[in-house]
Amino acid sequence: MLCKICKTKGKREKAVINLRHHKLALCKEHFIEWFEKHTLKTIEKFKMFSKNGKIGIAVSGGKDSLSLWYLLTKAGYETVGIHISLGIKANDYSEKSLELCKQMAERINRPLITFNLPDEFGYPIEKIAQLSGRDSVCSVCGTFKRYIMNKLALKENLEAIATGHNLDDESAVLLSNTLRWDTGYLGRQYPVLLEKGGFARKVKPFCFFTEKEIVSYAILNEIEFMETGCPNSEKATSPVYKQALALLEHKMPGTKLRFYKEFIKKARPIFEAVNKEEIKLVPCEKCGTPTTADVCSVCRILEKVKNAKSREN
Ligand code: SF4
Ligand code: ZN
Ligand code: ZN
């Protein structure tokens, strides 16, 4: 298969990727160009951030976040990587993830802020989940990651926190929320979450790219990333929704992109309007983070951990 753009210029360059849902086969040079142009278009369209502020990239060591950090720096944004080390020992997951983030920081010559969760909160994430009596490590992990990212964004005066969420992630979340008709979440799902009442702005510049497109971008740019996922991801439910969507995508290319884009355009404004009522936020009694209850969810989990530990002793 030949590159479609090269063909229009009378050149015969072999395509390295065939984007079935865009009916576009591209060579290395034109794929990288296409990918970067579309990222910048998404940033502009959703007014994600500017070139005047500092952008924090939540880097896990995976393909999405490292590619995003690399691309935004290349495009001239002032970036800083933020990595939360969770203390996950299996497969040396946390150690290897940190190493890959450091490697990227060195390559693009940008600072990396590292937050070591066991050092700061006393235990690795799995132990915190276990001691707090929660079944799902991932839901505790998500709560802590959001909390820490927000604190760091405010401390570092960041214009926004950018995450590497891709189309596969976003369409899987959308499918899960739709199957439950969770109108609250459906009203909030969007490429940008504006700053509000002590919460930093969060943006997803890769939300229209598939995993395959991002892996290709990473490989073509020789970005080293964690090829195995977090050992706890097997217990997560999102792979089930991803599999269902992959089947639909295989039979009908473009399904995922249509599902997500049309949701944003047509359905999300309806759910947003339904949930117009402002949620009242108050500072957490213990740490000051904005919360709907007297004490925020992280402080509540830490309290349970403390109680469980004192019962053990
Ligand atoms: Fe955290 Fe779960 Fe993701 Fe692992 S898979 S990093 S435990 S949310
Ligand atoms: Zn080409
Ligand atoms: Zn708190």
Side-chain angles (χ1 to χ4, degrees):
M1 199 172 296
L2 296 175
C3 168
K4 208 169 165 180
I5 297 178
C6 281
K7 242 182 176 171
T8 62
K9 296 177 177 171
K11 285 199 287 177
R12 290 175 60 82
E13 193 68 46
K14 248 183 147 182
V16 292
I17 186 165
N18 181 18
L19 309 169
R20 277 174 75 209
H21 55 292
H22 293 294
K23 296 195 177 66
L24 197 59
L26 296 171
C27 68
K28 176 180 173 179
E29 180 197 334
H30 287 123
F31 171 68
I32 292 176
E33 197 180 287
W34 173 88
F35 190 93
E36 293 175 349
K37 203 174 93 194
H38 276 265
T39 307
L40 301 182
K41 247 168 94 178
T42 303
I43 293 169
E44 205 176 299
K45 183 172 176 195
F46 292 93
K47 298 185 177 62
M48 291 185 169
F49 43 78
S50 67
K51 287 219 164 128
N52 305 324
K54 198 164 41 160
I55 319 301
I57 321 296
V59 280
S60 63
K63 62 188 184 317
D64 308 293
S65 54
L66 290 180
S67 298
L68 182 62
W69 194 13
Y70 174 84
L71 190 161
L72 294 181
T73 308
K74 183 179 170 191
Y77 289 97
E78 191 192 341
T79 62
V80 50
I82 305 178
H83 178 72
I84 301 173
S85 201
L86 300 162
I88 297 173
K89 292 252 182 304
N91 311 335
D92 294 328
Y93 178 75
S94 287
E95 200 184 316
K96 283 185 190 159
S97 303
L98 174 62
E99 221 20 73
L100 290 165
C101 294
K102 281 187 184 166
Q103 207 172 295
M104 176 56 80
E106 215 165 282
R107 175 171 173 187
I108 58 177
N109 199 20
R110 295 301 310 157
L112 173 72
I113 298 172
T114 307
F115 185 98
N116 189 299
L117 191 118
D119 283 355
E120 301 291 333
F121 293 121
Y123 308 97
I125 196 66
E126 287 129 330
K127 189 76 184 163
I128 292 181
Q130 186 220 325
L131 289 171
S132 67
R134 300 280 192 102
D135 289 338
S136 162
V137 181
C138 292
S139 88
V140 174
C141 181
T143 304
F144 272 76
K145 283 196 288 196
R146 280 190 296 276
Y147 176 91
I148 297 162
M149 279 294 163
N150 199 58
K151 286 246 182 231
L152 290 175
L154 299 177
K155 187 174 159 223
E156 297 292 322
N157 203 15
L158 302 177
E159 185 177 345
I161 299 171
T163 58
H165 289 99
N166 59 45
L167 180 64
D168 296 64
D169 302 322
E170 291 302 299
S171 53
V173 169
L174 178 57
L175 180 59
S176 137
N177 288 336
T178 305
L179 291 176
R180 286 181 287 113
W181 289 118
D182 192 325
T183 56
Y185 280 123
L186 287 167
R188 284 193 295 276
Q189 192 176 354
Y190 200 59
V192 182
L193 210 61
L194 286 179
E195 59 273 39
K196 203 160 102 187
F199 286 114
R201 188 188 312 175
K202 293 192 200 102
V203 298
K204 301 169 185 173
F206 279 176
C207 62
F208 298 118
F209 291 132
T210 61
E211 266 176 23
K212 180 184 152 192
E213 287 158 0
I214 300 173
V215 171
S216 305
Y217 182 81
I219 292 172
L220 292 172
N221 284 291
E222 293 170 16
I223 293 171
E224 272 196 61
F225 57 86
M226 284 294 283
E227 292 186 27
T228 50
C230 168
N232 295 310
S233 62
E234 284 162 19
K235 295 167 215 149
T237 50
S238 70
V240 182
Y241 298 106
K242 284 188 180 175
Q243 278 165 20
L245 284 162
L247 185 66
L248 291 167
E249 184 71 28
H250 181 70
K251 295 274 179 200
M252 294 166 282
T255 299
K256 275 188 278 197
L257 193 58
R258 234 179 356 260
F259 182 44
Y260 183 57
K261 272 196 163 170
E262 295 301 297
F263 160 76
I264 287 177
K265 213 160 81 192
K266 298 175 184 162
R268 192 238 174 205
I270 301 170
F271 293 114
E272 196 193 14
V274 170
N275 298 303
K276 259 287 174 262
E277 206 176 302
E278 282 286 311
I279 299 168
K280 205 170 162 285
L281 295 170
V282 289
C284 166
E285 279 174 8
K286 291 185 184 280
C287 73
T289 288
T291 171
T292 48
D294 296 338
V295 177
C296 78
S297 41
V298 164
C299 288
R300 267 184 280 148
I301 293 172
L302 291 175
E303 192 61 36
K304 283 188 185 158
V305 169
K306 207 170 107 193
N307 293 341
K309 262 293 164 198
S310 59
R311 276 197 304 274
E312 265 180 28
N313 296 334

